[in-house]
Amino acid sequence: MPHRVMSIVASCFVALVGASAARAVPVQWNSGPGNNGHFYDVVAAPRGITRTAAADAAAALGGYLATPVTAEENAFIFSLISADANLWLIDAASNGIGPWTGGVRSGGSFAWVSGEPFSFSNFAAGEPNNFGGNEDFIEYFGHGALIGDTWNDYPDDATTSGRPLPVAFVVEFDAIPEPASFALLALAALPLIRRR
C-alpha cells in the first residue's frame, strides 16, 4: 500500500478516535537486561478514553495493552511515556493519571491480558485500594506528582464517579505488523471506536 494512502488511513483513524499516535513507528525494546524484542506504541487520546475503548483500539491495531511484567520492562515503558506531559493529567487529589496498561483484576487479584505471570508489581503506596469497589484496571500513576512510574488501580469509566479518564494508552506488539496490514487493522478499528 503506498505511503500516502497509509497516511490518509492513519489520519482518518486518528480523527475518529480522537487519539493520535505519539510516535510515527512503534519502538522496539531490543537492548538492555530483560529485553523481550517486543514493540511499543504510545497513543494519546486528548479527550480521555475508557479502559475498554483503549483495549479495543489496541486489539484493532494488532496488539494489546502493554504488560510491564518486570522492573526492566516497566522502566522501558515509562521511558516512552515520561517525556510527554500531554499523556498525563492531574486529578483532584494532585495525583498524575497516566496511560492505561494491560493489567486487570481477576478474581480479586491482578493478571496481565497477555497471560504472562503477574509476579512483578509496582503499585504506588496505598494502592491498589479498589476505591469504590470498581477499580479493576491498572494505569500509570504519579502519587502527588504529574508523572510517576508506579501504578494505580482505576475504574474503566472514571467519569461515572466524577474522576477524569486517562488521556493515553500503551500498545504492545509481540511482532510489528507489516505496514499494509497495519493500515488495514486501523481501518478495521473505525467501527469499534465510532460506537463509543
Side-chain angles (χ1 to χ4, degrees):
M1 183 175 283
H3 179 69
R4 183 164 165 29
V5 172
M6 283 180 35
S7 295
I8 292 169
V9 168
S11 296
C12 290
F13 179 70
V14 166
L16 286 170
V17 193
S20 60
R23 288 167 178 59
V25 177
V27 177
Q28 186 177 28
W29 183 32
N30 60 359
S31 64
N35 79 79
N36 59 13
H38 290 183
F39 294 80
Y40 300 80
D41 197 8
V42 181
V43 180
R47 289 182 250 156
I49 190 165
T50 65
R51 187 351 186 106
T52 298
D56 289 348
L61 292 171
Y64 49 91
L65 291 176
T67 58
V69 300
T70 64
E72 295 83 8
E73 188 173 13
N74 191 64
F76 176 78
I77 293 169
F78 184 67
S79 75
L80 300 177
I81 62 174
S82 61
D84 188 349
N86 293 318
L87 303 174
W88 298 77
L89 53 88
I90 298 287
D91 69 8
S94 298
N95 297 312
I97 304 300
W100 288 114
T101 72
V104 60
R105 189 182 309 273
S106 176
S109 59
F110 282 93
W112 295 117
V113 295
S114 61
E116 296 167 282
F118 198 92
S119 53
F120 166 73
S121 174
N122 198 38
F123 284 103
E127 301 297 342
N129 63 6
N130 200 20
F131 180 78
N134 65 348
E135 293 190 331
D136 294 329
F137 305 100
I138 298 174
E139 49 95 11
Y140 275 94
F141 184 67
H143 188 66
L146 172 61
I147 296 172
D149 69 347
T150 56
W151 311 335
N152 177 37
D153 55 336
Y154 210 65
D156 177 42
D157 185 354
T159 61
T160 61
S161 59
R163 296 188 289 171
L165 289 173
V167 293
F169 56 97
V170 183
V171 183
E172 183 173 347
F173 304 90
D174 293 340
I176 196 66
E178 296 282 331
S181 299
F182 192 77
L184 290 174
L185 288 168
L187 275 176
L190 294 178
L192 291 173
I193 305 303
R194 232 182 230 159
R195 282 185 282 191
R196 299 200 186 288

